[in-house]
Amino acid sequence: MKTDSIRHGFLYVYLAALIVFVFAPIAANLVFSFNAARFPTLPLAGFTTHWYEAIFNDGRLVQGLKNSLMVSGATAFIATFLGFSAAYIDYRYRFFGRTAFLALVTLPPTIPVVILGLGMLSFQSSVGLLGTLPGIVTAHVVYCAPFALALTRMRLASLDPSVEPAAWNLGATQGSTMTSIIIPHCAPAILAAFFLTAAVSFDEFMIAYFISGFNQTLPVHVLTMLEGQVSPRVNAIGGVVFMFTIGMVVLAQVLMFGRRST
Amino acid sequence: MSVTMLELENVEKTFSGTPAVDRISFSIEKGEFIAIMGPSGCGKTTTLRMVAGLDAPDGGDIRLWGRSLVGDAPWERDAPLVWQNYALFPFMSVRKNVEFGLVQRKRPRAERQKKAQDWMDRLGIGALADRGVSQLSGGQRQRVALARALVTEPEMLLLDEPLSALDQHLRVQMQGELLRLQRELNTTFIHVTHSQSESFAMADRVVVMNGGVVQQIDTPKAIHQRPVNRFVAEFIGGNNVFTGHVADVRADGVVFRTGQNELAVGEAAGFGSGDEACLIVSASHVGIHASKSGEGNELEVEIETIETLGSSVSVHMRTADGTVVIAESALSDLDDALVHVGANVVVRWDPENGFLVPK
């Protein structure tokens, strides 16, 4: 009994330490983004929203944020569509090379992003997409679609394979079966995939760094800013990005697991 | 009176080189309750799926009212299927599940709601209308699946082992309900099952299949009394099957030789001397006696096992040369002094109660 409670206590301390380790930098970032002092040092100098005002008054930063939002929205839409389509193909059809097909579509996130970015750079420069927003969207779709595939595939796996033929048998055409059975069943996973891919794209730095040119997304712009100076505005940007991303991921989690009972 | 509704003609289906259904032909009449019975892998479910349009035949034709169905998509056919695992739509309420077929046929909302409610009430699930299907028991799911299939009032209903997941008590109850429904609706029911008791209890006619081939099509009674071959005799159970050959043909029947024994067979039309054959004798026709009487077919046997099957008893015996003989009788008719394991007794049956089938 005694050793058990000691072990429990130790595990709690360990877990707490782990959480502190992971979240301390983010918390510090948030705290210093409201700190009036120029440099991130203790003691805190006083509360201010000055840095937030500053970043929203910086035209290039706002443009970067707009770019990021547009890219992540478009990426999420296309990647979710493609990911779901691939998951459905995997659910519905048995064909030669199915395993190879799956391996191929889930490959991109396993490739080091530097390699992926370089590949995109040379490919997009030869097809004239380099430095354009559609170019960044294309690259992000390649990187994000496998996440959407994984989420929707998990949901489809819980659908009895005879449900679809049962709908046909009751007079539903293939199209009608898709809209009345498959998509409603997968709706939580499809929305979760949308928010998750939006978050991944919004955060993604390396690929965008290689191919964005003058149409910089927010993370790329932040780096160019940091190269010149260390400004507390970066903390404020961090706060904004963190809130957006964590919001998307939490939404995805809630949608995927919160409605599991249905 | 009887009208042919559905015809299967030389229907074939091959899965990766192995024939699942091998040129089968039979026809079904309007309002008939047909059971397709056989061991797993005999092609019965494939046959049903081809009627529903879920598998396309590789050859032959399936005709409904004389018109070929082969090119029709499943959603163009009016042959709802009750699935073995029910295949209910998981995220919908009972009501939405039942309404599905009507929604797909674009029936007006008022009609949809009325018909769905009628069918739910008729099958005793009216009170569950707004439940999710995951909250239902097996028997309730079964009823939802039936209501969902019947709500469009189809002219035939396909059933793929729908009772196999239910416990014994519920199964017998559902058998009665299915039969009653079928009589009331006069809908053609095609019921696929591996269970002899299920098909014999409900069907007007039974199609016995094995290895993708139809073995026998007849009423349950006729199949029980006169199985056409060794497979059917063994599959339906309760039969003695002796392998041997015809030793002699006489005016009143033939003499059949199996092992060391010669047995008289009353009826053996079409068999000549020397033909290889199987002698079928129903276990219920075999009597157990203390000694020989000199009449009928008699064999000296030793009792090996005695199985009590509810109100009847199945006695397994073996002759000195290893031939197995089974006798069945009512529990109350059994003489305990005579019938016990290890006892040496004589079995007897009349030559008219045996018949020959091809080997």
Side-chain angles (χ1 to χ4, degrees):
Chain A
M1 286 302 280
K2 192 142 186 285
T3 53
D4 245 26
S5 64
I6 289 170
R7 205 172 61 200
H8 267 136
F10 174 76
L11 283 174
Y12 274 115
V13 170
Y14 180 76
L15 191 64
L18 190 73
I19 288 172
V20 167
F21 181 76
V22 169
F23 285 99
I26 296 168
N29 177 277
L30 281 172
V31 168
F32 286 117
S33 75
F34 291 105
N35 186 15
R38 185 85 180 71
F39 295 99
T41 50
L42 289 170
L44 296 172
F47 181 81
T48 181
T49 55
H50 172 76
W51 309 119
Y52 285 91
E53 285 157 29
I55 60 170
F56 284 108
N57 287 325
D58 180 334
R60 287 189 57 203
L61 253 180
V62 172
Q63 188 55 45
L65 179 64
K66 278 185 186 162
N67 284 346
S68 271
L69 286 173
M70 272 192 291
V71 167
S72 78
T75 299
F77 190 81
I78 300 169
T80 303
F81 176 77
L82 290 179
F84 171 72
S85 305
Y88 180 71
I89 288 170
D90 170 59
Y91 168 76
R92 166 82 185 274
Y93 299 100
R94 298 285 173 272
F95 52 92
F96 175 76
R98 180 164 158 266
T99 317
F101 163 77
L102 259 188
L104 202 65
V105 293
T106 50
L107 195 62
T110 67
I111 299 171
V113 278
V114 177
I115 309 292
L116 204 60
L118 260 175
M120 284 291 170
L121 174 68
S122 66
F123 172 72
Q124 296 200 348
S125 65
S126 67
V127 295
L129 270 173
L130 195 67
T132 64
L133 288 186
I136 305 174
V137 170
T138 314
H140 277 184
V141 164
V142 170
Y143 188 68
C144 291
F147 294 105
L149 167 83
L151 282 176
T152 46
R153 187 162 171 259
M154 221 162 84
R155 181 72 184 173
L156 273 172
S158 71
L159 191 64
D160 183 330
S162 54
V163 161
E164 206 179 21
W168 303 337
N169 176 257
L170 291 167
T173 59
Q174 304 209 48
S176 175
T177 305
M178 177 56 80
T179 53
S180 64
I181 303 291
I182 305 292
I183 290 178
H185 177 77
C186 293
I190 290 172
L191 285 173
F194 183 87
F195 291 121
L196 186 74
T197 49
V200 170
S201 162
F202 190 82
D203 263 2
E204 200 286 322
F205 165 74
M206 192 58 88
I207 301 171
Y209 181 66
F210 272 102
I211 62 173
S212 61
F214 290 113
N215 280 313
Q216 289 176 337
T217 60
L218 193 60
V220 178
H221 186 72
V222 169
L223 184 81
T224 48
M225 254 176 78
L226 281 172
E227 279 168 346
Q229 57 184 316
V230 179
S231 161
R233 288 185 299 164
V234 171
N235 287 332
I237 299 167
V240 170
V241 171
F242 174 73
M243 282 317 190
F244 178 84
T245 318
I246 206 79
M248 291 287 152
V249 173
V250 167
L251 265 174
Q253 291 286 328
V254 167
L255 286 164
M256 202 55 192
F257 301 106
R259 297 207 297 186
R260 186 174 259 181
S261 56
T262 58
Chain B
M1 176 62 209
S2 60
V3 192
T4 298
M5 178 179 172
L6 187 75
E7 282 173 276
L8 281 80
E9 190 188 309
N10 292 323
V11 175
E12 277 182 77
K13 180 72 187 175
T14 305
F15 289 119
S16 51
T18 322
V21 171
D22 195 1
R23 290 189 300 283
I24 62 166
S25 302
F26 59 90
S27 58
I28 296 172
E29 288 163 12
K30 171 76 186 144
E32 233 187 335
F33 197 137
I34 287 278
I36 305 178
M37 175 175 80
S40 45
C42 74
K44 56 191 192 298
T45 296
T46 305
T47 305
L48 197 73
R49 287 176 62 89
M50 286 193 282
V51 173
L54 299 170
D55 281 326
D58 294 332
D61 201 5
I62 302 173
R63 285 187 295 271
L64 181 65
W65 302 119
R67 194 185 72 83
S68 176
L69 278 181
V70 169
D72 290 0
W75 47 88
E76 294 165 338
R77 305 185 189 200
D78 183 25
L81 176 61
V82 178
W83 299 72
Q84 184 169 12
N85 57 2
Y86 317 135
L88 299 177
F89 305 130
F91 53 91
M92 292 184 188
S93 65
V94 169
R95 186 193 306 281
K96 293 277 178 215
N97 264 282
V98 175
E99 272 184 14
F100 188 83
L102 297 170
V103 172
Q104 296 307 322
R105 283 171 178 74
K106 305 200 165 48
R107 310 305 305 169
R109 174 181 289 266
E111 180 194 331
R112 241 156 57 193
Q113 289 175 340
K114 185 178 180 310
K115 278 199 175 159
Q117 192 62 50
D118 285 353
W119 275 101
M120 287 188 292
D121 290 341
R122 189 163 186 170
L123 286 160
I125 48 170
L128 307 173
D130 297 313
R131 293 257 192 101
V133 292
S134 56
Q135 295 161 279
L136 305 180
S137 70
Q140 289 166 337
R141 282 174 204 221
Q142 172 74 75
R143 284 156 196 276
V144 176
L146 265 175
R148 184 179 74 172
L150 287 168
V151 74
T152 56
E153 280 145 29
E155 54 181 353
M156 65 175 158
L157 182 71
L158 311 177
L159 301 121
D160 183 14
E161 307 223 16
L163 308 181
S164 61
L166 303 180
D167 60 50
Q168 175 66 20
H169 169 74
L170 214 49
R171 192 180 311 152
V172 173
Q173 189 189 336
M174 280 309 290
Q175 277 179 14
E177 278 194 53
L178 277 178
L179 198 56
R180 183 176 55 78
L181 265 176
Q182 198 267 339
R183 300 290 180 246
E184 282 171 19
L185 300 169
N186 200 33
T187 303
T188 306
F189 276 33
I190 307 177
H191 183 125
V192 157
T193 178
H194 64 268
S195 156
Q196 188 247 121
S197 67
E198 232 173 83
S199 47
F200 279 25
M202 292 189 286
D204 298 316
R205 285 194 302 154
V206 178
V207 179
V208 186
M209 285 183 74
N210 187 38
V213 179
V214 172
Q215 305 287 325
Q216 187 168 11
I217 307 176
D218 218 324
T219 62
K221 190 177 170 190
I223 289 179
H224 195 74
Q225 288 178 343
R226 285 306 295 263
V228 293
N229 60 30
R230 181 187 185 136
F231 170 79
V232 177
E234 284 178 342
F235 188 73
I236 62 172
N239 284 306
N240 288 291
V241 180
F242 302 108
T243 327
H245 64 272
V246 176
D248 192 13
V249 181
R250 297 180 189 156
D252 62 343
V254 302
V255 175
F256 181 79
R257 170 168 281 278
T258 176
Q260 305 297 317
N261 306 296
E262 290 205 331
L263 302 166
V265 182
E267 193 195 325
F271 287 92
S273 193
D275 286 356
E276 302 246 306
C278 286
L279 169 62
I280 314 283
V281 182
S282 168
S284 60
H285 287 135
V286 177
I288 302 174
H289 304 275
S291 58
K292 286 196 172 183
S293 70
E295 284 172 24
N297 290 310
E298 291 182 315
L299 293 172
E300 287 177 339
V301 293
E302 184 183 337
I303 297 176
E304 290 195 322
T305 57
I306 302 172
E307 287 174 36
T308 307
L309 316 155
S311 59
S312 70
V313 177
S314 174
V315 184
H316 292 245
M317 295 156 289
R318 196 184 286 273
T319 63
D321 67 354
T323 308
V324 174
V325 184
I326 308 166
E328 256 176 47
S329 67
L331 188 58
S332 52
D333 292 349
L334 216 62
D335 179 356
D336 284 338
L338 180 65
V339 179
H340 53 89
V341 173
N344 288 302
V345 293
V346 170
V347 288
R348 182 156 76 228
W349 70 89
D350 290 338
E352 305 81 88
N353 287 329
F355 56 91
L356 297 186
V357 295
K359 192 174 180 184

